[in-house]
Amino acid sequence: MKEDTGMGTSDLIQYAHALYTAHGDKAEAEAAQKATQAEAANDTAEADKWRLIRSHIKELRGPKAT
């Protein structure tokens, strides 16, 4: 996947961390929703940005307990 989101990787990581700090476990769902909305609006770059943010949030959350 091409990472042409207008934000650098460190910016995306910082944004993901801030979103996760503010919203906890709901942050991942929020990022997924934003990606879906951007895709529906045919804004591929914005959708890609939100997918990357969601991926970073997943990393912050760590493995799920079963």
Short mmCIF file of all heavy atoms in Angstrom, two decimals:
data_model
loop_
_atom_site.label_atom_id
_atom_site.label_comp_id
_atom_site.label_asym_id
_atom_site.label_seq_id
_atom_site.Cartn_x
_atom_site.Cartn_y
_atom_site.Cartn_z
N MET A 1 0.85 -1.17 0.00
CA MET A 1 0.00 0.00 0.00
C MET A 1 0.89 1.23 0.00
O MET A 1 1.82 1.35 0.77
CB MET A 1 -0.90 -0.02 1.24
CG MET A 1 -1.68 1.24 1.41
SD MET A 1 -2.87 1.34 2.78
CE MET A 1 -2.61 -0.05 3.77
N LYS A 2 0.56 2.15 -0.85
CA LYS A 2 1.31 3.40 -0.96
C LYS A 2 0.92 4.31 0.20
O LYS A 2 -0.26 4.52 0.48
CB LYS A 2 0.97 4.07 -2.29
CG LYS A 2 1.74 5.32 -2.54
CD LYS A 2 1.35 5.89 -3.89
CE LYS A 2 1.99 7.23 -4.11
NZ LYS A 2 1.50 7.87 -5.31
N GLU A 3 1.91 4.86 0.89
CA GLU A 3 1.65 5.73 2.04
C GLU A 3 1.78 7.18 1.64
O GLU A 3 2.72 7.86 2.00
CB GLU A 3 2.60 5.39 3.19
CG GLU A 3 2.20 6.05 4.48
CD GLU A 3 3.05 5.60 5.64
OE1 GLU A 3 3.42 4.44 5.70
OE2 GLU A 3 3.34 6.46 6.49
N ASP A 4 0.81 7.68 0.85
CA ASP A 4 0.80 9.08 0.43
C ASP A 4 -0.40 9.75 1.07
O ASP A 4 -1.40 10.02 0.42
CB ASP A 4 0.73 9.16 -1.10
CG ASP A 4 0.84 10.59 -1.61
OD1 ASP A 4 1.29 11.46 -0.85
OD2 ASP A 4 0.46 10.81 -2.77
N THR A 5 -0.31 9.98 2.37
CA THR A 5 -1.44 10.48 3.13
C THR A 5 -1.32 11.95 3.49
O THR A 5 -2.21 12.50 4.10
CB THR A 5 -1.59 9.68 4.44
OG1 THR A 5 -0.40 9.87 5.20
CG2 THR A 5 -1.82 8.22 4.16
N GLY A 6 -0.19 12.57 3.15
CA GLY A 6 0.02 13.94 3.53
C GLY A 6 0.57 14.07 4.94
O GLY A 6 0.94 15.15 5.37
N MET A 7 0.63 12.98 5.66
CA MET A 7 1.19 12.96 7.01
C MET A 7 2.35 11.97 7.02
O MET A 7 2.28 10.93 6.40
CB MET A 7 0.14 12.49 8.03
CG MET A 7 -1.05 13.40 8.20
SD MET A 7 -2.28 12.73 9.33
CE MET A 7 -1.57 13.17 10.91
N GLY A 8 3.39 12.31 7.76
CA GLY A 8 4.49 11.38 7.91
C GLY A 8 4.12 10.26 8.87
O GLY A 8 3.15 10.36 9.62
N THR A 9 4.90 9.20 8.85
CA THR A 9 4.63 8.06 9.72
C THR A 9 4.61 8.46 11.19
O THR A 9 3.72 8.05 11.93
CB THR A 9 5.68 6.95 9.49
OG1 THR A 9 5.63 6.56 8.12
CG2 THR A 9 5.41 5.74 10.35
N SER A 10 5.56 9.30 11.59
CA SER A 10 5.58 9.71 13.01
C SER A 10 4.34 10.53 13.35
O SER A 10 3.81 10.41 14.47
CB SER A 10 6.86 10.48 13.34
OG SER A 10 6.92 11.68 12.62
N ASP A 11 3.84 11.33 12.41
CA ASP A 11 2.61 12.08 12.64
C ASP A 11 1.42 11.14 12.82
O ASP A 11 0.58 11.35 13.69
CB ASP A 11 2.31 13.03 11.48
CG ASP A 11 3.32 14.16 11.36
OD1 ASP A 11 3.92 14.54 12.38
OD2 ASP A 11 3.50 14.65 10.24
N LEU A 12 1.36 10.11 11.99
CA LEU A 12 0.28 9.13 12.08
C LEU A 12 0.32 8.40 13.42
O LEU A 12 -0.72 8.18 14.05
CB LEU A 12 0.35 8.13 10.94
CG LEU A 12 0.02 8.66 9.55
CD1 LEU A 12 0.35 7.63 8.49
CD2 LEU A 12 -1.44 9.06 9.47
N ILE A 13 1.52 8.03 13.85
CA ILE A 13 1.67 7.33 15.13
C ILE A 13 1.24 8.24 16.28
O ILE A 13 0.51 7.80 17.18
CB ILE A 13 3.11 6.83 15.31
CG1 ILE A 13 3.41 5.72 14.29
CG2 ILE A 13 3.35 6.32 16.73
CD1 ILE A 13 4.88 5.33 14.21
N GLN A 14 1.67 9.49 16.23
CA GLN A 14 1.27 10.44 17.28
C GLN A 14 -0.24 10.64 17.30
O GLN A 14 -0.86 10.71 18.36
CB GLN A 14 1.97 11.78 17.09
CG GLN A 14 3.45 11.74 17.43
CD GLN A 14 4.15 13.07 17.18
OE1 GLN A 14 3.64 13.93 16.46
NE2 GLN A 14 5.31 13.22 17.77
N TYR A 15 -0.84 10.74 16.13
CA TYR A 15 -2.29 10.93 16.05
C TYR A 15 -3.01 9.70 16.59
O TYR A 15 -3.98 9.83 17.34
CB TYR A 15 -2.72 11.22 14.61
CG TYR A 15 -4.13 11.73 14.53
CD1 TYR A 15 -4.41 13.08 14.69
CD2 TYR A 15 -5.19 10.85 14.33
CE1 TYR A 15 -5.71 13.55 14.65
CE2 TYR A 15 -6.50 11.31 14.29
CZ TYR A 15 -6.76 12.66 14.45
OH TYR A 15 -8.04 13.12 14.42
N ALA A 16 -2.53 8.52 16.21
CA ALA A 16 -3.14 7.28 16.69
C ALA A 16 -3.04 7.20 18.21
O ALA A 16 -4.00 6.82 18.89
CB ALA A 16 -2.47 6.06 16.05
N HIS A 17 -1.89 7.57 18.76
CA HIS A 17 -1.69 7.53 20.20
C HIS A 17 -2.65 8.50 20.90
O HIS A 17 -3.27 8.16 21.91
CB HIS A 17 -0.23 7.86 20.54
CG HIS A 17 0.07 7.73 21.99
ND1 HIS A 17 0.13 6.51 22.63
CD2 HIS A 17 0.32 8.67 22.94
CE1 HIS A 17 0.41 6.72 23.91
NE2 HIS A 17 0.53 8.02 24.12
N ALA A 18 -2.77 9.71 20.36
CA ALA A 18 -3.67 10.70 20.94
C ALA A 18 -5.12 10.23 20.88
O ALA A 18 -5.87 10.39 21.86
CB ALA A 18 -3.52 12.04 20.22
N LEU A 19 -5.51 9.66 19.78
CA LEU A 19 -6.87 9.15 19.62
C LEU A 19 -7.14 8.02 20.59
O LEU A 19 -8.19 7.97 21.24
CB LEU A 19 -7.08 8.68 18.17
CG LEU A 19 -8.51 8.41 17.72
CD1 LEU A 19 -9.36 9.67 17.80
CD2 LEU A 19 -8.51 7.88 16.30
N TYR A 20 -6.17 7.11 20.73
CA TYR A 20 -6.32 5.99 21.66
C TYR A 20 -6.36 6.48 23.11
O TYR A 20 -7.16 5.98 23.91
CB TYR A 20 -5.19 4.98 21.46
CG TYR A 20 -5.32 3.75 22.32
CD1 TYR A 20 -6.39 2.87 22.14
CD2 TYR A 20 -4.39 3.46 23.30
CE1 TYR A 20 -6.52 1.74 22.93
CE2 TYR A 20 -4.52 2.33 24.09
CZ TYR A 20 -5.58 1.47 23.90
OH TYR A 20 -5.72 0.36 24.69
N THR A 21 -5.55 7.46 23.43
CA THR A 21 -5.55 8.02 24.79
C THR A 21 -6.90 8.67 25.10
O THR A 21 -7.43 8.51 26.20
CB THR A 21 -4.41 9.06 24.94
OG1 THR A 21 -3.16 8.39 24.72
CG2 THR A 21 -4.40 9.67 26.33
N ALA A 22 -7.46 9.35 24.12
CA ALA A 22 -8.72 10.06 24.32
C ALA A 22 -9.94 9.14 24.31
O ALA A 22 -10.89 9.35 25.06
CB ALA A 22 -8.89 11.14 23.25
N HIS A 23 -9.90 8.09 23.48
CA HIS A 23 -11.10 7.28 23.27
C HIS A 23 -10.97 5.83 23.70
O HIS A 23 -11.94 5.08 23.60
CB HIS A 23 -11.53 7.35 21.80
CG HIS A 23 -11.91 8.72 21.36
ND1 HIS A 23 -13.13 9.28 21.62
CD2 HIS A 23 -11.21 9.66 20.70
CE1 HIS A 23 -13.18 10.50 21.13
NE2 HIS A 23 -12.01 10.76 20.56
N GLY A 24 -9.78 5.41 24.10
CA GLY A 24 -9.59 4.03 24.54
C GLY A 24 -9.89 3.04 23.44
O GLY A 24 -9.56 3.27 22.28
N ASP A 25 -10.55 1.95 23.82
CA ASP A 25 -10.83 0.88 22.86
C ASP A 25 -11.76 1.31 21.73
O ASP A 25 -11.82 0.66 20.70
CB ASP A 25 -11.41 -0.34 23.58
CG ASP A 25 -10.37 -1.05 24.43
OD1 ASP A 25 -9.16 -0.89 24.16
OD2 ASP A 25 -10.77 -1.77 25.36
N LYS A 26 -12.49 2.40 21.90
CA LYS A 26 -13.39 2.89 20.85
C LYS A 26 -12.63 3.58 19.72
O LYS A 26 -13.18 3.81 18.65
CB LYS A 26 -14.41 3.86 21.44
CG LYS A 26 -15.37 3.19 22.40
CD LYS A 26 -16.35 4.17 22.96
CE LYS A 26 -17.28 3.48 23.95
NZ LYS A 26 -18.25 4.41 24.53
N ALA A 27 -11.36 3.91 19.95
CA ALA A 27 -10.57 4.62 18.95
C ALA A 27 -10.42 3.82 17.66
O ALA A 27 -10.49 4.39 16.57
CB ALA A 27 -9.20 4.96 19.52
N GLU A 28 -10.22 2.53 17.79
CA GLU A 28 -10.06 1.69 16.59
C GLU A 28 -11.33 1.70 15.74
O GLU A 28 -11.28 1.84 14.52
CB GLU A 28 -9.68 0.26 16.98
CG GLU A 28 -9.32 -0.59 15.79
CD GLU A 28 -8.89 -2.00 16.15
OE1 GLU A 28 -8.58 -2.26 17.33
OE2 GLU A 28 -8.89 -2.84 15.24
N ALA A 29 -12.47 1.59 16.39
CA ALA A 29 -13.75 1.62 15.66
C ALA A 29 -13.97 2.98 15.02
O ALA A 29 -14.47 3.06 13.88
CB ALA A 29 -14.90 1.29 16.60
N GLU A 30 -13.57 4.03 15.71
CA GLU A 30 -13.72 5.38 15.15
C GLU A 30 -12.86 5.54 13.90
O GLU A 30 -13.31 6.08 12.89
CB GLU A 30 -13.33 6.42 16.19
CG GLU A 30 -13.55 7.83 15.72
CD GLU A 30 -13.28 8.87 16.79
OE1 GLU A 30 -13.38 8.55 17.99
OE2 GLU A 30 -12.96 10.01 16.40
N ALA A 31 -11.63 5.06 13.95
CA ALA A 31 -10.73 5.14 12.79
C ALA A 31 -11.29 4.33 11.63
O ALA A 31 -11.24 4.77 10.48
CB ALA A 31 -9.33 4.67 13.16
N ALA A 32 -11.84 3.15 11.92
CA ALA A 32 -12.43 2.32 10.87
C ALA A 32 -13.62 3.03 10.22
O ALA A 32 -13.79 2.99 9.00
CB ALA A 32 -12.86 0.97 11.45
N GLN A 33 -14.43 3.68 11.05
CA GLN A 33 -15.59 4.41 10.53
C GLN A 33 -15.15 5.57 9.64
O GLN A 33 -15.72 5.80 8.57
CB GLN A 33 -16.45 4.92 11.69
CG GLN A 33 -17.70 5.64 11.23
CD GLN A 33 -18.54 6.13 12.41
OE1 GLN A 33 -18.06 6.24 13.53
NE2 GLN A 33 -19.79 6.42 12.15
N LYS A 34 -14.12 6.29 10.07
CA LYS A 34 -13.60 7.40 9.26
C LYS A 34 -13.07 6.90 7.92
O LYS A 34 -13.27 7.54 6.89
CB LYS A 34 -12.50 8.14 10.00
CG LYS A 34 -12.95 8.80 11.28
CD LYS A 34 -13.59 10.12 11.02
CE LYS A 34 -13.81 10.86 12.33
NZ LYS A 34 -14.50 12.12 12.15
N ALA A 35 -12.39 5.74 7.93
CA ALA A 35 -11.88 5.16 6.69
C ALA A 35 -13.03 4.81 5.75
O ALA A 35 -12.96 5.08 4.55
CB ALA A 35 -11.03 3.93 6.99
N THR A 36 -14.07 4.22 6.30
CA THR A 36 -15.24 3.84 5.50
C THR A 36 -15.92 5.07 4.90
O THR A 36 -16.30 5.07 3.73
CB THR A 36 -16.24 3.04 6.36
OG1 THR A 36 -15.58 1.86 6.84
CG2 THR A 36 -17.46 2.62 5.56
N GLN A 37 -16.05 6.12 5.70
CA GLN A 37 -16.68 7.36 5.22
C GLN A 37 -15.85 7.99 4.10
O GLN A 37 -16.39 8.46 3.10
CB GLN A 37 -16.85 8.35 6.37
CG GLN A 37 -17.90 7.94 7.36
CD GLN A 37 -17.90 8.82 8.61
OE1 GLN A 37 -16.95 9.56 8.87
NE2 GLN A 37 -18.96 8.71 9.40
N ALA A 38 -14.54 8.00 4.28
CA ALA A 38 -13.67 8.58 3.25
C ALA A 38 -13.73 7.77 1.97
O ALA A 38 -13.75 8.33 0.87
CB ALA A 38 -12.23 8.66 3.77
N GLU A 39 -13.77 6.45 2.11
CA GLU A 39 -13.86 5.59 0.93
C GLU A 39 -15.18 5.82 0.20
O GLU A 39 -15.20 5.87 -1.04
CB GLU A 39 -13.73 4.13 1.35
CG GLU A 39 -13.44 3.21 0.19
CD GLU A 39 -13.03 1.83 0.68
OE1 GLU A 39 -13.93 1.02 0.95
OE2 GLU A 39 -11.82 1.59 0.78
N ALA A 40 -16.26 5.98 0.95
CA ALA A 40 -17.56 6.24 0.34
C ALA A 40 -17.57 7.56 -0.42
O ALA A 40 -18.28 7.73 -1.41
CB ALA A 40 -18.65 6.23 1.40
N ALA A 41 -16.75 8.50 0.05
CA ALA A 41 -16.64 9.81 -0.61
C ALA A 41 -15.57 9.81 -1.70
O ALA A 41 -15.21 10.86 -2.23
CB ALA A 41 -16.31 10.88 0.43
N ASN A 42 -15.05 8.62 -2.02
CA ASN A 42 -14.01 8.45 -3.04
C ASN A 42 -12.73 9.23 -2.72
O ASN A 42 -12.02 9.66 -3.62
CB ASN A 42 -14.51 8.83 -4.43
CG ASN A 42 -15.55 7.85 -4.93
OD1 ASN A 42 -15.42 6.65 -4.71
ND2 ASN A 42 -16.59 8.37 -5.57
N ASP A 43 -12.44 9.39 -1.43
CA ASP A 43 -11.21 10.06 -0.99
C ASP A 43 -10.23 8.98 -0.54
O ASP A 43 -10.11 8.67 0.64
CB ASP A 43 -11.52 11.04 0.14
CG ASP A 43 -10.33 11.93 0.47
OD1 ASP A 43 -9.19 11.61 0.05
OD2 ASP A 43 -10.55 12.95 1.15
N THR A 44 -9.54 8.41 -1.51
CA THR A 44 -8.66 7.27 -1.26
C THR A 44 -7.53 7.62 -0.31
O THR A 44 -7.20 6.84 0.59
CB THR A 44 -8.08 6.75 -2.58
OG1 THR A 44 -9.16 6.47 -3.48
CG2 THR A 44 -7.27 5.49 -2.38
N ALA A 45 -6.93 8.80 -0.47
CA ALA A 45 -5.81 9.20 0.40
C ALA A 45 -6.26 9.30 1.85
O ALA A 45 -5.57 8.85 2.76
CB ALA A 45 -5.22 10.51 -0.08
N GLU A 46 -7.42 9.89 2.07
CA GLU A 46 -7.95 10.02 3.43
C GLU A 46 -8.29 8.65 4.01
O GLU A 46 -8.02 8.38 5.18
CB GLU A 46 -9.19 10.94 3.41
CG GLU A 46 -9.74 11.26 4.77
CD GLU A 46 -8.90 12.26 5.57
OE1 GLU A 46 -7.91 12.80 5.06
OE2 GLU A 46 -9.25 12.49 6.74
N ALA A 47 -8.88 7.79 3.20
CA ALA A 47 -9.20 6.43 3.65
C ALA A 47 -7.93 5.68 4.03
O ALA A 47 -7.88 5.00 5.07
CB ALA A 47 -9.98 5.67 2.57
N ASP A 48 -6.89 5.81 3.22
CA ASP A 48 -5.61 5.16 3.52
C ASP A 48 -5.02 5.68 4.82
O ASP A 48 -4.50 4.92 5.63
CB ASP A 48 -4.61 5.36 2.38
CG ASP A 48 -4.95 4.55 1.14
OD1 ASP A 48 -5.77 3.62 1.23
OD2 ASP A 48 -4.37 4.85 0.08
N LYS A 49 -5.12 6.99 5.03
CA LYS A 49 -4.61 7.60 6.27
C LYS A 49 -5.31 6.99 7.47
O LYS A 49 -4.66 6.58 8.44
CB LYS A 49 -4.84 9.11 6.24
CG LYS A 49 -4.39 9.80 7.53
CD LYS A 49 -4.69 11.28 7.51
CE LYS A 49 -6.14 11.50 7.92
NZ LYS A 49 -6.47 12.93 8.06
N TRP A 50 -6.63 6.86 7.42
CA TRP A 50 -7.37 6.32 8.56
C TRP A 50 -7.09 4.83 8.76
O TRP A 50 -7.07 4.35 9.89
CB TRP A 50 -8.87 6.60 8.41
CG TRP A 50 -9.17 8.01 8.78
CD1 TRP A 50 -9.49 9.03 7.94
CD2 TRP A 50 -9.13 8.57 10.09
NE1 TRP A 50 -9.66 10.20 8.65
CE2 TRP A 50 -9.44 9.93 9.97
CE3 TRP A 50 -8.86 8.05 11.35
CZ2 TRP A 50 -9.50 10.79 11.08
CZ3 TRP A 50 -8.92 8.90 12.46
CH2 TRP A 50 -9.24 10.24 12.31
N ARG A 51 -6.84 4.10 7.67
CA ARG A 51 -6.47 2.68 7.82
C ARG A 51 -5.12 2.55 8.52
O ARG A 51 -4.93 1.66 9.35
CB ARG A 51 -6.44 2.00 6.46
CG ARG A 51 -7.81 1.68 5.92
CD ARG A 51 -7.73 0.79 4.69
NE ARG A 51 -8.92 0.98 3.90
CZ ARG A 51 -9.04 1.78 2.85
NH1 ARG A 51 -8.01 2.47 2.42
NH2 ARG A 51 -10.17 1.90 2.21
N LEU A 52 -4.19 3.42 8.18
CA LEU A 52 -2.88 3.40 8.83
C LEU A 52 -3.01 3.78 10.30
O LEU A 52 -2.37 3.17 11.17
CB LEU A 52 -1.91 4.34 8.11
CG LEU A 52 -1.44 3.86 6.74
CD1 LEU A 52 -0.74 5.00 6.01
CD2 LEU A 52 -0.52 2.67 6.88
N ILE A 53 -3.82 4.77 10.59
CA ILE A 53 -4.05 5.16 11.98
C ILE A 53 -4.67 3.99 12.74
O ILE A 53 -4.25 3.68 13.86
CB ILE A 53 -4.95 6.42 12.06
CG1 ILE A 53 -4.17 7.63 11.55
CG2 ILE A 53 -5.46 6.65 13.48
CD1 ILE A 53 -5.01 8.87 11.33
N ARG A 54 -5.64 3.32 12.14
CA ARG A 54 -6.26 2.16 12.79
C ARG A 54 -5.22 1.07 13.05
O ARG A 54 -5.22 0.45 14.12
CB ARG A 54 -7.39 1.61 11.91
CG ARG A 54 -8.09 0.44 12.55
CD ARG A 54 -9.18 -0.11 11.68
NE ARG A 54 -9.83 -1.22 12.36
CZ ARG A 54 -10.55 -2.13 11.76
NH1 ARG A 54 -10.74 -2.06 10.45
NH2 ARG A 54 -11.10 -3.11 12.43
N SER A 55 -4.35 0.85 12.11
CA SER A 55 -3.30 -0.16 12.28
C SER A 55 -2.40 0.20 13.47
O SER A 55 -2.04 -0.68 14.27
CB SER A 55 -2.48 -0.25 10.99
OG SER A 55 -1.40 -1.12 11.15
N HIS A 56 -2.05 1.46 13.59
CA HIS A 56 -1.21 1.89 14.72
C HIS A 56 -1.96 1.74 16.04
O HIS A 56 -1.36 1.38 17.06
CB HIS A 56 -0.73 3.32 14.53
CG HIS A 56 0.26 3.48 13.41
ND1 HIS A 56 1.45 2.78 13.35
CD2 HIS A 56 0.22 4.23 12.30
CE1 HIS A 56 2.11 3.12 12.26
NE2 HIS A 56 1.38 3.98 11.59
N ILE A 57 -3.25 2.00 16.04
CA ILE A 57 -4.06 1.83 17.26
C ILE A 57 -4.07 0.36 17.66
O ILE A 57 -3.94 0.03 18.84
CB ILE A 57 -5.49 2.38 17.06
CG1 ILE A 57 -5.45 3.90 16.94
CG2 ILE A 57 -6.40 1.94 18.21
CD1 ILE A 57 -6.76 4.53 16.49
N LYS A 58 -4.21 -0.54 16.67
CA LYS A 58 -4.16 -1.98 16.96
C LYS A 58 -2.85 -2.34 17.65
O LYS A 58 -2.84 -3.13 18.60
CB LYS A 58 -4.29 -2.80 15.68
CG LYS A 58 -5.68 -2.96 15.17
CD LYS A 58 -5.65 -3.86 13.94
CE LYS A 58 -7.01 -4.13 13.41
NZ LYS A 58 -6.97 -5.05 12.27
N GLU A 59 -1.75 -1.78 17.18
CA GLU A 59 -0.45 -2.05 17.79
C GLU A 59 -0.40 -1.53 19.23
O GLU A 59 0.15 -2.20 20.10
CB GLU A 59 0.68 -1.40 16.98
CG GLU A 59 0.93 -2.07 15.64
CD GLU A 59 2.01 -1.37 14.84
OE1 GLU A 59 2.86 -0.69 15.45
OE2 GLU A 59 2.00 -1.49 13.60
N LEU A 60 -0.98 -0.37 19.47
CA LEU A 60 -1.01 0.18 20.81
C LEU A 60 -1.83 -0.69 21.76
O LEU A 60 -1.46 -0.84 22.93
CB LEU A 60 -1.62 1.60 20.80
CG LEU A 60 -0.78 2.71 20.17
CD1 LEU A 60 -1.59 3.97 20.00
CD2 LEU A 60 0.46 2.98 21.02
N ARG A 61 -2.91 -1.24 21.26
CA ARG A 61 -3.78 -2.07 22.09
C ARG A 61 -3.12 -3.39 22.46
O ARG A 61 -3.41 -3.97 23.50
CB ARG A 61 -5.10 -2.36 21.36
CG ARG A 61 -6.00 -1.15 21.27
CD ARG A 61 -7.29 -1.45 20.58
NE ARG A 61 -7.98 -2.51 21.28
CZ ARG A 61 -8.81 -3.37 20.70
NH1 ARG A 61 -9.03 -3.30 19.41
NH2 ARG A 61 -9.41 -4.29 21.39
N GLY A 62 -2.27 -3.88 21.58
CA GLY A 62 -1.63 -5.17 21.83
C GLY A 62 -2.57 -6.32 21.54
O GLY A 62 -3.70 -6.12 21.08
N PRO A 63 -2.13 -7.55 21.83
CA PRO A 63 -2.96 -8.72 21.54
C PRO A 63 -4.20 -8.74 22.45
O PRO A 63 -4.15 -8.30 23.61
CB PRO A 63 -2.06 -9.90 21.84
CG PRO A 63 -0.97 -9.36 22.70
CD PRO A 63 -0.86 -7.90 22.40
N LYS A 64 -5.28 -9.23 21.90
CA LYS A 64 -6.54 -9.33 22.66
C LYS A 64 -6.46 -10.51 23.61
O LYS A 64 -5.98 -11.58 23.26
CB LYS A 64 -7.73 -9.51 21.72
CG LYS A 64 -8.05 -8.29 20.91
CD LYS A 64 -9.30 -8.52 20.08
CE LYS A 64 -9.63 -7.29 19.27
NZ LYS A 64 -10.84 -7.48 18.48
N ALA A 65 -6.97 -10.30 24.79
CA ALA A 65 -7.05 -11.42 25.75
C ALA A 65 -8.24 -12.29 25.39
O ALA A 65 -9.28 -11.80 24.97
CB ALA A 65 -7.22 -10.86 27.17
N THR A 66 -8.08 -13.58 25.52
CA THR A 66 -9.19 -14.49 25.19
C THR A 66 -9.73 -15.17 26.41
O THR A 66 -9.12 -15.21 27.43
CB THR A 66 -8.74 -15.57 24.18
OG1 THR A 66 -7.62 -16.26 24.72
CG2 THR A 66 -8.40 -14.95 22.86
#
